[in-house]
């Protein structure tokens, strides 16, 4: 809800200040990007901590766990995104289905790749804020929360840059919009793969793994996690 509120506040500010005018497709992309970033930014490996820790102790490769979680997250986003895309395409504004789908898929792949790296480099346990105030972990949480939004704005710039590149390329490459769509989609998939490899490699680093193990603890009200 905080992310949704901030996203709407940004859009309202740009709209009423006259700095930018948003179409419905751009608004959907911005809101979904904010929501996806908030959900997956730091918690990919710490989510379902007991199961994830057990898998890693049993020798399950980090890359396989990350990809499994990515597939689950992407599936959930598609469930909500496909109806939104259908409404936009079928609406009176007649948005291009290629452009809207491209926006949505690029956003998913870029965000999941960034989130994989952050889940290793800046892991964050699942724990209520009230419990953090008692066990002394509130400051790292606040820092991580602020960093996630800073990263989020940077990722949004990356997404819009890729979409701008697609629009520019559609007028200059053979095949037009469809070829540009394929090129940008492939580049976002490659970016996701490279970032996932980086995250899996970083998970083998001794210091990062120690920090990850410290955060990969399931919260139980009767037994607060150690700080």
């Amino acid at each position: 809800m905080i992310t949704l509120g901030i996203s709407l506040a940004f859009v309202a500010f740009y709209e009423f200040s006259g700095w930018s005018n948003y179409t419905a497709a751009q608004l959907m992309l911005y809101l979904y990007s904010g929501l996806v970033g908030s959900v997956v930014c730091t918690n990919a490996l710490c989510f379902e901590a007991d199961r994830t820790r057990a898998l890693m102790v049993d020798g399950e490769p980090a890359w396989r766990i990350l990809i499994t979680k990515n597939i689950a997250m992407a599936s959930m986003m598609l469930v909500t995104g496909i109806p939104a895309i259908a409404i936009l395409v079928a609406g009176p504004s007649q948005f291009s289905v290629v452009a809207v789908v491209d926006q949505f898929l690029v956003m998913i792949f870029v965000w999941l790749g960034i989130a994989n790296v952050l889940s290793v480099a800046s892991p964050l346990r699942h724990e209520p804020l009230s419990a953090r105030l008692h066990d002394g972990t509130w400051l790292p949480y606040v820092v991580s929360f602020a960093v996630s939004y800073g990263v989020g704005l940077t990722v949004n710039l990356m997404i819009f840059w890729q979409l701008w590149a697609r629009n520019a390329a559609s007028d200059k490459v053979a095949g037009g919009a469809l070829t540009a769509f394929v090129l940008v989609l492939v580049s976002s998939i490659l970016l996701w793969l490279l970032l996932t490899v980086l995250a899996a490699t970083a998970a083998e680093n001794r210091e990062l793994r120690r920090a990850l193990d410290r955060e990969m603890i399931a919260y139980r009200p009767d037994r607060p996690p150690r700080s």
Side-chain angles (χ1 to χ4, degrees):
M1 295 304 297
I2 291 174
T3 304
L4 182 60
I6 292 176
S7 299
L8 289 174
F10 270 120
V11 171
F13 171 76
Y14 285 127
E15 183 68 27
F16 290 114
S17 67
W19 286 12
S20 178
N21 292 316
Y22 282 86
T23 65
Q26 290 171 323
L27 176 61
M28 183 194 76
L29 174 68
Y30 191 89
L31 294 179
Y32 267 103
S33 183
L35 293 171
V36 172
S38 178
V39 171
V40 305
C41 199
T42 57
N43 292 314
L45 284 176
C46 286
F47 188 73
E48 293 187 319
D50 283 345
R51 293 179 60 187
T52 304
R53 177 187 289 274
L55 287 171
M56 297 186 76
V57 169
D58 290 340
E60 188 76 9
W63 65 266
R64 189 175 298 173
I65 298 174
L66 287 169
I67 289 178
T68 302
K69 289 176 178 289
N70 287 175
I71 292 173
M73 177 58 65
S75 299
M76 288 187 288
M77 292 308 301
L78 288 173
V79 167
T80 60
I82 289 176
I85 291 173
I87 292 173
L88 287 175
V89 173
S93 299
Q94 295 296 314
F95 289 104
S96 167
V97 63
V98 172
V100 177
V101 170
D102 202 12
Q103 289 181 7
F104 194 70
L105 293 180
V106 166
M107 179 269 296
I108 289 178
F109 280 111
V110 172
W111 253 126
L112 289 179
I114 295 294
N116 287 342
V117 175
L118 289 176
S119 71
V120 176
S122 180
L124 186 68
R125 72 183 67 166
H126 281 252
E127 182 180 342
L129 184 58
S130 58
R132 294 183 182 280
L133 294 175
H134 287 89
D135 64 23
T137 61
W138 64 272
L139 184 56
Y141 172 76
V142 171
V143 172
S144 180
F145 191 84
V147 169
S148 70
Y149 278 97
V151 172
L153 293 175
T154 304
V155 174
N156 283 344
L157 289 175
M158 292 172 57
I159 294 171
F160 279 111
W161 177 81
Q162 285 200 316
L163 297 177
W164 171 84
R166 183 208 64 209
N167 291 334
S170 63
D171 297 329
K172 299 179 180 179
V173 298
L178 183 59
T179 301
F181 163 77
V182 173
L183 290 174
V184 172
L185 181 59
V186 169
S187 71
S188 63
I189 294 174
L190 289 175
L191 179 62
W192 168 71
L193 287 173
L194 291 172
L195 291 172
T196 302
V197 170
L198 175 61
T201 303
E204 302 301 323
N205 178 274
R206 182 174 301 177
E207 293 184 3
L208 291 177
R209 182 58 179 269
R210 187 180 301 116
L212 182 60
D213 288 340
R214 186 170 59 248
E215 293 295 314
M216 200 183 299
I217 301 173
Y219 171 75
R220 296 182 178 85
D222 57 337
R223 182 177 63 80
R226 64 181 182 272
S227 60

